[in-house]
Amino acid sequence: VELYSKEETLMKRKKLIGQSCRLFFSEDPVKIIRAQGQYLYDEKGRRYLDCISNVHHVGHSHPAVVQAATAQMELLNTNARFLHDNLIKYCERLSETLPEKLNTFYFVNSGSEANDLALRLARQYTQHEDVIVLDHAYHGHLTSLIDISPYKFRKLEGQKDWVHVAPLPDTYRGLYREDHEDAAQAYADEVKKIIDDAHKRSRKISAFFAESLPSVGGQIIFPPGYFKKVAEYVSLSYHHR
């Protein structure tokens, strides 16, 4: 149901919503009033293929998801500090899809909250502060995550001394390309150089943060073997005292 015309909606948004919350297609914003499956629909019924939203697992308004969510909200909607069988059942089902060591869970409400928690856990475990990230990365909009997001901090307060930026392993436009004999090793070695340099300056690495498929960076597929080699280097750095 449309409450206002597109022009009225735009005018009220400019008045009521912070200007840093930018619109897509700002020169001619699209007003979306409903979605179904892989499509979005504007106020005139025009259909758009949705390649922007972040909910593409089963599409928009999937009947099974709507039914399950409605049934649960009609029964109970509270936090995880009470006992409830469904929470445990979900943990068990999730653990069955993961390696054996990944068997403890924290449920959060956003990617930003998940990344902030991961950063806290890494620092608590290692007792180190420094973080390695990939160039062009975006990890969330919390203060702690802006600090480790080159895509953001370069437009704001700049790079903190505890943040180290490694080259994005882009074999199409990057430092080492498809014709390199071992691009995965070459890019991983760039991370090792950062670790070695940090140690020379008496800095210690707490975590390596990377999107599995960098989005802002251009939907980059990493060369096979890159993550495994980087994990080895970073793991060894944890024990550097």
Side-chain angles (χ1 to χ4, degrees):
V1 177
E2 204 179 2
L3 300 177
Y4 312 107
S5 68
K6 178 179 175 178
E7 293 71 24
E8 288 176 312
T9 302
L10 179 58
M11 179 184 67
K12 289 178 180 293
R13 178 185 171 107
K14 288 180 177 179
K15 180 180 178 181
L16 298 169
I17 303 298
Q19 293 301 301
S20 60
C21 298
R22 298 178 181 177
L23 283 163
F24 290 126
F25 316 111
S26 56
E27 69 283 355
D28 185 20
V30 180
K31 184 176 182 181
I32 299 299
I33 62 171
R34 69 182 184 90
Q36 184 71 46
Q38 68 270 43
Y39 298 111
L40 301 172
Y41 297 85
D42 67 14
E43 79 283 5
K44 295 181 180 179
R46 186 183 292 113
R47 187 175 70 175
Y48 301 83
L49 179 63
D50 186 3
C51 297
I52 293 178
S53 302
N54 295 323
V55 289
H56 292 136
H57 297 293
V58 294
H60 294 282
S61 307
H62 193 290
V65 176
V66 172
Q67 182 180 5
T70 300
Q72 184 59 53
M73 286 187 287
E74 287 178 343
L75 179 66
L76 177 67
N77 180 18
T78 186
N79 64 51
R81 291 177 181 265
F82 298 105
L83 284 174
H84 197 281
D85 292 344
N86 283 354
L87 181 67
I88 304 305
K89 182 179 179 181
Y90 181 61
C91 290
E92 291 176 336
R93 291 177 60 189
L94 190 59
S95 67
E96 291 171 359
T97 70
L98 299 169
E100 187 175 351
K101 288 184 178 181
L102 296 179
N103 57 15
T104 302
F105 302 95
Y106 295 92
F107 293 110
V108 294
N109 64 13
S110 69
S112 291
E113 188 176 343
N115 285 341
D116 181 71
L117 177 60
L119 182 60
R120 290 168 55 198
L121 289 171
R123 285 175 166 169
Q124 177 67 31
Y125 175 76
T126 64
Q127 295 296 298
H128 300 167
E129 179 184 25
D130 288 28
V131 176
I132 301 173
V133 297
L134 296 178
D135 205 0
H136 308 294
Y138 173 57
H139 293 299
H141 60 261
L142 300 182
T143 299
S144 61
L145 304 176
I146 295 295
D147 285 345
I148 63 171
S149 298
Y151 169 71
K152 286 291 186 180
F153 68 59
R154 286 181 177 142
K155 302 174 185 177
L156 299 171
E157 298 176 0
Q159 183 174 341
K160 299 292 194 298
D161 59 2
W162 50 268
V163 177
H164 310 275
V165 181
L168 182 65
D170 182 353
T171 57
Y172 184 69
R173 297 184 180 87
L175 191 61
Y176 307 107
R177 305 192 177 184
E178 290 182 351
D179 59 355
H180 192 280
E181 60 181 359
D182 192 345
Q185 183 67 60
Y187 277 115
D189 285 344
E190 292 294 323
V191 175
K192 188 176 187 302
K193 290 177 187 176
I194 289 174
I195 294 171
D196 291 343
D197 181 65
H199 290 168
K200 289 176 184 177
R201 295 184 288 120
S202 299
R203 306 201 66 92
K204 298 177 180 179
I205 306 302
S206 70
F208 170 83
F209 264 74
E211 301 156 271
S212 55
L213 182 69
S215 177
V216 171
Q219 310 296 328
I220 305 301
I221 299 175
F222 295 155
Y226 172 74
F227 276 129
K228 183 177 181 180
K229 182 57 66 175
V230 168
E232 292 174 3
Y233 291 152
V234 175
S235 180
L236 287 174
S237 78
Y238 290 160
H239 305 293
H240 183 92
R241 301 294 179 180

